[in-house]
Amino acid sequence: MEPKKEKTREPQTWANRIHEVFKSHGITQVSYVPDAGHSRLIQLCRDDHDLRTVVLTTEEEGVALATGAWLGGQRSVLLMQSSGVGNCINMFSMIRECRIPFFTVITMRGEKGEFNPWQFPMGRNAGKHLKLCGFEIERVEKSTETQQVIDQVAQQVFMNSSMGAVLLSQQMIGVKTFKDE
Amino acid sequence: MNEPGKRSLNYPLRRREVVQELLKSREGLLVVAGLGAPAWDATASGDHPLTFPLWGGMGGAVSIGLGLALAQPDQRVLVITGDGEMLMGLGSLSTVGLQQPKNLAVVVLDNEHFGETGMQTTHTAGSVNLAEIARASGISSSWTVRESSEISTTREKLLHEEGPLFCGIKVRAETLPLVLPPKEGEILQKRFRNALMNENGD
């Protein structure tokens, strides 16, 4: 689905902050399956010639891509929405077994205000699934917390070769309404 | 077993010999070997720190190769996988087609069977042509090989022509002795990085 032009509920400075943190941690490959909530961050990464952005056909490709990037000496991040977590689960076995540092930033669907009920099952359980797969997870509720949380999780992932996910709450990113605005 | 499934029992190319030829005097070649028989074939040609053999992650071999190729643009990356593994990750061919990595080559050892799970036929025994899918995904240098006379030119192309490249190699459906690489994923990734970047340990 083509993401609609975001009407700015508040200036999406959190996207700029995340982009800055990616840079400060030496991340050079950014893979994604689009989400409206990630659209500004994706655009910032695409416009940055020091980052290689890779649009995927499905999220588990991004897990494998991160493995290859790490083998080749590069750090990467996967941007996806909560429904994508379900697509990745078997591939997460590989990064766990191979101890590949893996970092993902997830925009949440299926939370308060969600219009599409088919988003609820993964929205409610993405965090639990990630934990079962071996992830450390942190949630961000307020845009002012974004930079600190992303920075901490990235630090942990790349210093300790661990699996880390930051979940951005639907309230923070703005609920998708499917109405013409 | 149905007729299309029997056809590959008589294909002239033998997978171990093909891989042996592809990996001879490999120098700086970086290899990702898909789970199952391709990983055993690569190991039969000599366990090597710059081979990353997969014990899982089915459908991910090409994406691993892409991440590696983007990270190491001056090194040739060769993905060797099977038809079953490739079929699970067909979308990754689209992603490669879009990224156009010049240093990535993909070889599918296509025996038209799921060899590790009881030799059931795959889609390639019937209607599916992987090289055509790769071409239509934007990998314009995609071709199929069936004869041993084609292998040495195929090797030259895979290792030296501008990528991305895709070669489907029709190989005989046969069950061969297992030649297993180390199983510990953490060791496999660390020894790969050590060999590539002269890291020491952690």
Side-chain angles (χ1 to χ4, degrees):
Chain A
M1 196 175 304
E2 209 41 50
K4 282 211 178 111
K5 255 272 188 275
E6 285 277 309
K7 247 197 183 167
T8 341
R9 287 153 191 90
E10 67 178 305
Q12 284 197 338
T13 49
W14 59 265
N16 299 70
R17 293 193 197 113
I18 293 176
H19 171 248
E20 280 167 24
V21 178
F22 288 173
K23 304 279 284 187
S24 72
H25 283 276
I27 286 169
T28 50
Q29 290 192 33
V30 180
S31 68
Y32 63 95
V33 172
D35 178 40
H38 266 321
S39 58
R40 179 164 170 74
L41 177 57
I42 290 169
Q43 196 55 48
L44 286 167
C45 294
R46 287 180 60 100
D47 291 344
D48 183 336
H49 296 302
D50 296 329
L51 297 179
R52 181 70 174 237
T53 52
V54 180
V55 60
L56 309 166
T57 67
T58 177
E59 292 83 356
E60 67 261 38
E61 275 181 39
V63 183
L65 193 85
T67 302
W70 180 250
L71 289 176
Q74 288 193 343
R75 296 178 173 189
S76 68
V77 64
L78 168 61
L79 310 180
M80 60 178 164
Q81 61 171 271
S82 44
S83 53
V85 172
N87 291 348
C88 293
I89 287 178
N90 183 51
M91 213 59 92
F92 287 152
S93 310
M94 176 170 69
I95 53 172
R96 187 170 190 178
E97 198 54 30
C98 296
R99 202 145 178 235
I100 306 291
F102 180 78
F103 184 36
T104 180
V105 179
I106 298 167
T107 47
M108 294 305 293
R109 298 286 309 271
E111 296 187 328
K112 223 182 298 176
E114 173 65 55
F115 175 84
N116 178 356
W118 292 24
Q119 288 282 354
F120 286 137
M122 282 310 299
R124 285 181 183 145
N125 294 314
K128 291 180 206 160
H129 288 305
L130 288 164
K131 275 191 181 151
L132 286 172
C133 291
F135 276 81
E136 299 292 328
I137 62 170
E138 294 288 342
R139 270 184 73 88
V140 178
E141 306 287 349
K142 294 183 194 142
S143 62
T144 48
E145 301 164 349
T146 314
Q147 184 161 18
Q148 193 193 0
V149 173
I150 298 267
D151 185 54
Q152 278 171 354
V153 175
Q155 172 104 356
Q156 210 165 29
V157 164
F158 295 114
M159 294 304 283
N160 304 327
S161 288
S162 62
M163 299 157 72
V166 176
L167 313 184
L168 305 177
S169 81
Q170 194 162 10
Q171 285 298 305
M172 185 191 103
I173 59 182
V175 175
K176 186 171 179 172
T177 60
F178 290 91
K179 286 181 190 146
D180 288 330
E181 296 177 72
Chain B
M1 207 185 279
N2 58 18
E3 284 309 311
K6 285 186 177 161
R7 200 174 48 198
S8 53
L9 298 174
N10 296 315
Y11 286 162
L13 287 170
R14 316 286 299 272
R15 55 189 312 139
R16 289 267 158 95
E17 291 166 17
V18 168
V19 173
Q20 186 88 46
E21 180 70 13
L22 294 178
L23 296 182
K24 71 175 184 193
S25 54
R26 53 186 278 177
E27 292 161 19
L29 185 67
L30 311 180
V31 177
V32 176
L35 84 172
W40 323 150
D41 297 334
T43 310
S45 300
D47 184 34
H48 195 289
L50 291 177
T51 295
F52 191 65
L54 301 176
W55 285 87
M58 187 164 175
V62 167
S63 296
I64 296 171
L66 176 61
L68 179 55
L70 296 178
Q72 291 285 332
D74 298 328
Q75 303 285 324
R76 180 65 49 152
V77 175
L78 178 64
V79 175
I80 302 173
T81 192
D83 44 312
E85 204 277 343
M86 188 70 257
L87 286 162
M88 195 176 278
L90 287 178
S92 62
L93 294 176
S94 302
T95 303
V96 167
L98 198 59
Q99 295 292 328
Q100 291 292 310
K102 290 183 167 59
N103 56 330
L104 178 63
V106 176
V107 165
V108 174
L109 301 167
D110 182 1
N111 68 356
E112 304 178 355
H113 288 78
F114 293 103
E116 301 301 301
T117 53
M119 278 288 176
Q120 303 87 349
T121 53
T122 65
H123 306 54
T124 61
S127 53
V128 172
N129 181 323
L130 290 171
E132 292 296 322
I133 292 174
R135 192 195 325 278
S137 303
I139 305 174
S140 57
S141 296
S142 294
W143 71 102
T144 305
V145 165
R146 296 173 178 278
E147 305 294 334
S148 60
S149 56
E150 301 169 273
I151 291 296
S152 75
T153 50
T154 293
R155 179 178 184 275
E156 276 307 298
K157 279 173 82 169
L158 290 169
L159 299 191
H160 302 295
E161 274 192 10
E162 187 171 297
L165 304 152
F166 180 98
C167 180
I169 304 183
K170 290 288 186 181
V171 295
R172 185 176 301 181
E174 57 185 341
T175 304
L176 297 167
L178 298 176
V179 184
L180 304 180
K183 272 187 202 168
E184 296 78 8
E186 189 175 353
I187 290 175
L188 291 169
Q189 68 100 341
K190 282 188 172 156
R191 74 174 192 172
F192 190 103
R193 283 172 55 97
N194 291 346
L196 182 59
M197 291 167 285
N198 299 315
E199 284 190 349
N200 35 16
D202 251 346

